[in-house]
Each structure stands twice: as C-alpha cells, then as structure tokens.
Amino acid sequence: AYFTLQVIYARRKYKISPPETRGHPEFERIFRAQVNCSEYFPIFVSLLWVAGIFFHQGVAAVCGLLYLYTRFKYFQGYAVAAQGRLGPLYASARLLWLLLGLAVAGLLAHFLLP
C-alpha cells in the first residue's frame, strides 16, 4: 500500500492523470519501482507461505521481514536514481532464492522422510 500511495502522490505532484505512465522522470522511476515490487509480490508470498509451513515459521518470518525491508530500500533507491535500486535488488533476489531453498528443503523433508 505504501508504494501505491507514493505513485498517487507523484501523480499529483507532477500532474499526471491515470492511465498515463509517462511524464517526469522521477514519476516514471516511482511508478516503475511500484510495478516491479507488485510483480514479485505473488512469488514472495507463495515462497514465504510454503517455507513457513514446511520448513520453519520463525526462519521464514525473518526472511520475509528482511525481504520486505530490502524491497523498501529498493523502492527508495529507485525513486532517487535508477542505479540506486541495484544493491537492494540483488539482496531481495538472494532472499527469494533462500526462501525457495527453504521451501524445497521443507517439502522434501515432509514428503520423503518418514
């Protein structure tokens, strides 16, 4: 919701009416950051859910909180400059891979071990 509100504020600030997505470069970066975060959210929620159920709730929760923090930093960095998104982007990707590994390990343990 925070990211969506930032897009709304940027639309008002730069007078860009929906459904237009072009305009001031700062608006375009904020809009793109929000869309990128929205695209990855279903993947994140799915992995978080499976890792929490089949691996360990606490570990999955910590990874989830770290992921949300890195996405917040990604959004802030992208809003300032396109290069500002790279560090948090790589960190969030590593956390998604970690959640995937936890989910797979939990599923394998659940279905293969007696």
Side-chain angles (χ1 to χ4, degrees), residues 35-59:
V35 170
N36 289 349
C37 290
S38 296
E39 289 169 348
Y40 278 91
F41 194 71
I43 297 167
F44 162 67
V45 170
S46 300
L47 290 174
L48 181 68
W49 181 70
V50 174
I53 290 176
F54 292 101
F55 188 79
H56 190 275
Q57 291 178 0
V59 175

Side-chain angles (χ1 to χ4, degrees), residues 50-74:
V50 174
I53 290 176
F54 292 101
F55 188 79
H56 190 275
Q57 291 178 0
V59 175
V62 168
C63 289
L65 288 172
L66 288 172
Y67 176 82
L68 291 174
Y69 177 73
T70 59
R71 272 298 166 165
F72 176 71
K73 298 305 283 181
Y74 167 86

Side-chain angles (χ1 to χ4, degrees), residues 1-11 14 25-40 66-93:
Y2 170 79
F3 301 148
T4 303
L5 289 174
Q6 296 306 307
V7 172
I8 292 169
Y9 298 146
R11 282 188 183 281
Y14 298 110
E26 185 176 344
F27 166 76
E28 289 183 17
R29 287 193 308 270
I30 290 170
F31 179 78
R32 195 66 229 151
Q34 186 266 335
V35 170
N36 289 349
C37 290
S38 296
E39 289 169 348
Y40 278 91
L66 288 172
Y67 176 82
L68 291 174
Y69 177 73
T70 59
R71 272 298 166 165
F72 176 71
K73 298 305 283 181
Y74 167 86
F75 187 90
Q76 286 183 326
Y78 204 169
V80 173
Q83 293 298 325
R85 76 190 195 285
L86 295 178
L89 175 67
Y90 297 141
S92 66

